[in-house]
Amino acid sequence: MSHSPSTLEELNTQIVSCERCPRLRTHCSEVARIRRRAYIDQEYWGRPVPSFGDPEARVLALGLAPGAHGSNRTGRPFTGDGSGDFLYPVLYDAGFASQPIASSLKDGMKLKNIWITSVARCAPPGNKPTPEELRNCTPWLDQEIALLRNLRVVVCLGRIAFDGLLAHQHRGGSRIARAQFQFAHGAEFTFPGGLKAITSYHPSLQNTNTGKLTRPMFLRVFMRARELAGLD
Ligand code: SF4
């Protein structure tokens, strides 16, 4: 086990070389080797995806896992797939992102007051990490949250991300009654230590193509996160 990182940058470096989940490491490498026809001339990232954003962030966006041909290809959360094409324009409108389009590590995107991560950092087959793989990844989230010293609000993108945050709170000693922490789009919660959470449907194509999650609904979540974080 590597030593505890003292900065988010150091943490990201450790995450990128993580090998705790053999099934996921093999899958990501295979996807990177075979590639999708549309990206056949690109070199895929193919490794655990490091987090991205402003180390001074008051808001954390917590997703599920990298997309096989999205961040597993580009090496940055939500970059280069349909979920990211839905998320970044909203972050731009909400004042967190410098531009609406996220296409690659070199696209010039800068984030302010937000940090983006996920409960699993390697693309899983069928977008479904196993419970054991999610558990393997928890130390990264615990260390990350400890290093985000200004953190006030976590936006949980989907139920699995919210469960990941609840488990994180539990590991930290919060004795919370699960019944009071039920996932619903736009629900808000405050944990015993003062940290707040907002839950949102995940911006997966399944949700955004069907209208289950619309752009105004998603923007309201991030505008509310700004408010709860005391920004503006
Ligand atoms: S999912 Fe997390 S714990 Fe598993 S190999 Fe990837 S970074 Fe490591």
Side-chain angles (χ1 to χ4, degrees):
M1 181 92 188
S2 10
H3 70 281
S4 280
S6 53
T7 64
L8 289 159
E9 202 183 337
E10 206 182 322
L11 177 71
N12 269 342
T13 306
Q14 292 186 8
I15 288 170
V16 170
S17 55
C18 180
E19 300 276 354
R20 278 179 214 145
C21 307
R23 183 186 80 119
L24 299 186
R25 296 307 325 120
T26 304
H27 179 67
C28 292
S29 305
E30 270 305 282
V31 171
R33 188 178 64 79
I34 296 166
R35 305 176 203 179
R36 181 175 275 175
R37 189 181 290 269
Y39 309 123
I40 202 75
D41 58 343
Q42 294 185 16
E43 189 168 341
Y44 274 49
W45 178 259
R47 287 176 279 158
V49 176
S51 307
F52 173 54
D54 177 359
E56 304 299 319
R58 292 189 191 181
V59 177
L60 172 65
L62 183 60
L64 167 59
H69 301 279
S71 47
N72 184 55
R73 173 172 59 90
T74 60
R76 202 175 64 190
F78 287 98
T79 299
D81 64 10
S83 298
D85 292 347
F86 195 84
L87 173 69
Y88 281 102
V90 165
L91 293 184
Y92 175 70
D93 284 352
F96 288 111
S98 62
Q99 59 188 53
I101 307 296
S103 54
S104 79
L105 280 176
K106 294 181 183 155
D107 61 12
M109 175 76 74
K110 298 240 179 319
L111 299 182
K112 191 163 166 49
N113 267 316
I114 197 163
W115 184 260
I116 306 179
T117 192
S118 53
V119 287
R121 293 142 202 274
C122 295
N127 289 326
K128 282 199 176 63
T130 65
E132 187 191 354
E133 287 159 353
L134 286 167
R135 266 195 309 276
N136 287 346
C137 223
T138 55
W140 298 131
L141 183 66
D142 292 351
Q143 291 176 2
E144 191 159 42
I145 289 180
L147 288 168
L148 285 165
R149 297 184 204 287
N150 299 329
L151 182 63
R152 298 193 188 176
V153 182
V154 182
V155 179
C156 296
L157 302 174
R159 189 183 296 270
I160 296 174
F162 186 49
D163 285 346
L165 183 65
L166 294 180
H168 161 80
Q169 286 288 314
H170 194 75
R171 287 192 298 280
S174 285
R175 293 291 161 257
I176 51 177
R178 281 280 173 139
Q180 287 164 19
F181 289 83
Q182 297 290 326
F183 179 89
H185 180 79
E188 296 178 16
F189 307 92
T190 304
F191 293 108
L195 183 68
K196 293 181 188 304
I198 309 181
T199 45
S200 166
Y201 293 139
H202 188 279
S204 62
L205 288 180
Q206 206 184 352
N207 287 338
T208 57
N209 281 347
T210 55
K212 184 171 178 183
L213 179 63
T214 64
R215 196 162 156 168
M217 283 166 73
F218 208 34
L219 182 57
R220 269 197 299 278
V221 165
F222 282 97
M223 293 308 289
R224 181 66 181 142
R226 282 198 84 88
E227 222 166 64
L228 290 174
L231 295 167
D232 303 330

